[in-house]
Structure formats: C-alpha cells, structure tokens
C-alpha cells in the first residue's frame, strides 16, 4: 500500500483463533510508523475457530521527517492466555513524495544609489532532496541580478542562504527616488531523485516580491539650496552691486570737491560793512569818523544815474554813534 504525507490510508488485517480455547489478542503497531498508525480495535476476543477483521489507519504528517520511499510496518499480536505464541505481521508501506519550499527575502525594500543587496533564505519542507534555482523578473531591463550561489541542493528539512545583488544600469542625478519592483521565482532544477509511477512537472516555490528604491545622487534639498544661491547671485549682480558702486562713486566725488573757505569778517564770504552798492552804510561808520567824501571827476549829465538810496541804519552800535563833528 502507499500513502502520501498529509493524507490518510487504511489497511485491514484478519485475526483468527486456531486454538481450542477462548483467546484474547492485544494488537500494537511497531516500527517507524507506529507514531502515526493506529489499529482499531486494539483488543479482540475470539472463540476457537473464529476470526475478526481489524483496521489499520495510517496518517503520516506532512513533515520532512517522513522521508519518501518504502517503509516497513509491523503489527504485533499478543495472545493473553499463551503469550509465548506472539506473532508480528509485517508489511511495506510506500511513502509518497511531496515538495514544499519556504523562502524568505530580506529586506523586501532596499535603498541605494546604484545597487542593493538582499539575503534569500530557503528551507526544504518536502520529504525528498531537491536542487532549486532562482529566476528574477522585472517589467523592464533597468535592473541586473546576480545570485551567489546560482543553485542550492537541499536535503529534507535543510535550510540554506544565498545572496542576491541588484544593480541599476544608470544613476539618478536629481529628483525624487525611483522605485523598481521585481520578483524572484524559486523552481526545481535537475533530475528528480525519487520518481513516482506517474511523471510530474518540476515544482515551483512561492514568488517573492521586492523593491529596489534608487535614490538620487544629489538630494532634493541640495537642488533647492543651489537654486536659492543662484537667485542670490543674480540679485547681487543685477541689483545690489550697481547700487553699492553708485553710492561709493558719489562718496568719492564728494570727498575730492574743495570746501568753501570763510572770510575774516564773516562766514558767508560777503564783505562786511558795505551796502548793496559797495559803499559803506551810514550806520556802519565808526565813532569819530566823518562822512565819506567822494573825489574824482564829476559825472556828465548824460551819464548821471540816480543814486541808490542808502540803506536804513540798523539798530546796531553804529546807529547809536555820535554825529560827526563839523
């Protein structure tokens, strides 16, 4: 008979009492499959010359410990009245093979400029040795993949790790990060170590999904900073620098111009003690001095001009001077 781990199979066994007394028989499964094989009923009582059929129920668990192939199975029949007549009935059970892989890719999301490294762990949960290979998948051709090693040979229950390196074809200089999703398929390679009666297609494990996030060489904040510095430079050369040069030029021109020198009689540079016509005013005469005399050639009638009125004496000290003596 045959059974596949995870399934249930049954087999019948007939017990006959060939003695001349009533006998009870205890039945117990022995051998490698005793933990997952039961017999029903476990005890039978028979009259002389009678028989009874019991059922063996086989339920191997889906575990790599239940190796595929032939496995001996025995049932011990122990008479209660004559224990020396114990017997062991043996049979061979064919354990079918099953395949199961547990895979884990870590991390599922990696960031980098040009390349990213991942760790792929594989465990053979089947009951037969396998050799597996790995096939990457991507929507485009922007990524390159390298597995180290390229294949793994795994015994039932064995775990191994390999490295996966992902590399992009070109860098990203500016802008936002670029997300490259990809997949990894795990498939059986090579010849099958244990073949069943019917041919089977090579099995495939679960498909793993992952991402490689390609970050730009120059981050976004650096681009903003460079744009701000360029704006400051443009503002300096177009607005600030001409204004600074114009102010400096005006300051230099003002520094080299001559300053007005004040006269001895006043600060405004005008001749003190004279009127509008250039003659001294009456109020500006000093005490003890007589009236001014005009000498020279008399003016002709045609050249005579009306004399400008003398300015009124001010309230200064000259107006309080004594009249000139005659």
């Amino acid at each position: 008979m045959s059974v596949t781990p995870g399934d249930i199979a049954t087999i019948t066994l007939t017990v006959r009492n060939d003695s001349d007394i009533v006998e009870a028989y205890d039945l117990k499964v022995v051998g490698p499959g005793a933990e997952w094989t039961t017999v029903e009923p476990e005890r039978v009582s028979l009259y002389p010359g009678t028989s009874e059929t019991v059922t063996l129920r086989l339920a191997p668990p889906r575990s790599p410990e239940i190796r595929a192939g032939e496995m001996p199975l025995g049932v011990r029949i122990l008479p209660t009245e004559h224990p020396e007549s114990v017997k062991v009935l043996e049979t061979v059970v064919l354990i079918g093979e099953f395949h199961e892989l547990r895979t884990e890719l870590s991390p599922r999301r990696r960031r980098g400029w040009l390349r990213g490294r991942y760790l792929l762990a594989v465990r053979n949960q089947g009951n037969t040795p396998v050799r597996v290979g790995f096939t990457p998948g991507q929507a485009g051709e922007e990524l390159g993949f390298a597995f180290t090693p390229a294949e793994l040979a795994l015994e039932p229950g064995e775990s191994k790790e390999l490295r996966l390196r992902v590399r992009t074809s070109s860098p990203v200089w500016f802008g936002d990060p670029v997300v490259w999703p990809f997949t990894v398929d795990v498939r059986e390679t090579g010849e099958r170590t244990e073949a069943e009666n019917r041919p089977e297609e090579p099995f495939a494990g679960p498909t793993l999904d992952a991402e490689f996030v390609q970050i730009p060489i120059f981050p976004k904040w650096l681009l903003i900073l460079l744009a701000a510095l360029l704006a400051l430079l443009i503002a300096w050369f177009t607005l600030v620098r001409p204004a600074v040069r114009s102010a400096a030029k005006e300051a230099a021109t003002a520094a080299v111009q001559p300053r007005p020198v004040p006269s001895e009689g006043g600060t405004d540079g005008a001749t003190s003690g004279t009127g509008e016509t250039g003659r001294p005013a009456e109020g500006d005469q000093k005490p003890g001095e007589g009236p001014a005399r005009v000498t020279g050639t008399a003016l002709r009638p045609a050249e005579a001009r009306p004399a400008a009125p003398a300015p009124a004496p001010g309230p200064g000290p000259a107006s309080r001077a004594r009249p000139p003596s005659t």
Side-chain angles (χ1 to χ4, degrees):
M1 65 171 300
S2 63
V3 62
T4 302
D7 297 337
I8 298 176
T10 59
I11 185 174
T12 59
L13 176 66
T14 301
V15 180
R16 180 179 176 84
N17 183 7
D18 292 332
S19 66
D20 54 356
I21 62 173
V22 177
E23 187 68 86
Y25 300 93
D26 292 327
L27 290 84
K28 183 179 181 179
V29 179
V30 294
E35 296 180 356
W36 41 267
T37 303
T38 60
V39 56
E40 298 175 357
E42 295 182 353
R43 183 182 177 91
V44 294
S45 296
L46 299 175
Y47 288 99
T50 61
S51 62
E52 186 174 345
T53 301
V54 296
T55 302
L56 296 179
R57 185 174 182 270
L58 291 78
R62 192 175 178 86
S63 169
E65 298 178 358
I66 312 301
R67 301 289 294 265
E70 295 182 352
M71 185 191 70
L73 183 66
V75 179
R76 186 185 66 182
I77 303 175
L78 178 64
T80 304
E81 299 296 332
H82 300 280
E84 67 278 2
S85 301
V86 60
K87 292 183 178 180
V88 177
L89 300 180
E90 295 183 354
T91 185
V92 175
V93 178
L94 179 62
I95 304 298
E97 64 180 43
F98 71 94
H99 303 275
E100 182 179 347
L101 290 175
R102 290 184 181 179
T103 56
E104 182 180 359
L105 185 63
S106 62
R108 289 296 181 94
R109 185 183 180 94
R110 175 72 77 178
R111 297 169 60 90
W113 287 312
L114 289 175
R115 63 178 63 89
R117 295 182 179 181
Y118 302 80
L119 188 63
L120 180 59
V122 183
R123 177 178 174 84
N124 182 12
Q125 286 292 107
N127 63 349
T128 180
V130 294
R131 179 178 293 273
V132 294
F134 309 93
T135 304
Q138 191 212 355
E141 299 180 354
E142 293 83 5
L143 299 180
F145 302 90
F147 295 92
T148 308
E151 292 184 353
L152 291 178
L154 300 171
E155 293 293 327
E158 186 180 9
S159 300
K160 288 185 179 180
E161 295 180 348
L162 59 90
R163 290 182 174 84
L164 168 62
R165 185 174 62 182
V166 178
R167 182 182 177 87
T168 58
S169 57
S170 60
V172 176
W173 296 103
F174 295 99
D176 297 328
V178 180
V179 180
W180 303 107
F182 64 92
T183 60
V184 177
D185 292 331
V186 183
R187 296 183 178 274
E188 182 184 13
T189 60
E191 297 181 356
R192 303 287 295 275
T193 57
E194 291 288 342
E196 295 184 350
N197 295 331
R198 60 183 180 85
E200 292 185 358
E201 295 293 331
F203 76 98
T207 300
L208 302 175
D209 297 325
E211 291 180 346
F212 176 64
V213 182
Q214 187 178 7
I215 58 178
I217 301 298
F218 299 101
K220 191 174 183 179
W221 62 265
L222 181 59
L223 184 62
I224 297 175
L225 180 60
L226 292 177
L229 292 178
L230 181 61
L232 290 177
L233 289 176
I234 294 175
W236 167 260
F237 285 103
T238 58
L239 300 176
V240 180
R241 186 179 179 183
V244 172
R245 295 183 63 179
S246 177
K249 185 175 181 181
E250 293 178 359
T253 303
V256 299
Q257 287 181 352
R259 298 181 179 179
V261 180
S263 61
E264 296 181 358
T267 58
D268 55 354
T271 304
S272 60
T274 59
E276 294 180 358
T277 57
R279 295 191 302 268
E282 294 181 359
D284 294 336
Q285 295 179 358
K286 296 182 180 181
E289 295 181 355
R293 298 180 181 180
V294 179
T295 60
T297 308
L299 296 176
R300 298 179 181 178
E303 297 178 357
R305 295 181 180 179
S319 63
R320 295 193 301 268
R322 291 178 299 177
S325 57
T326 54

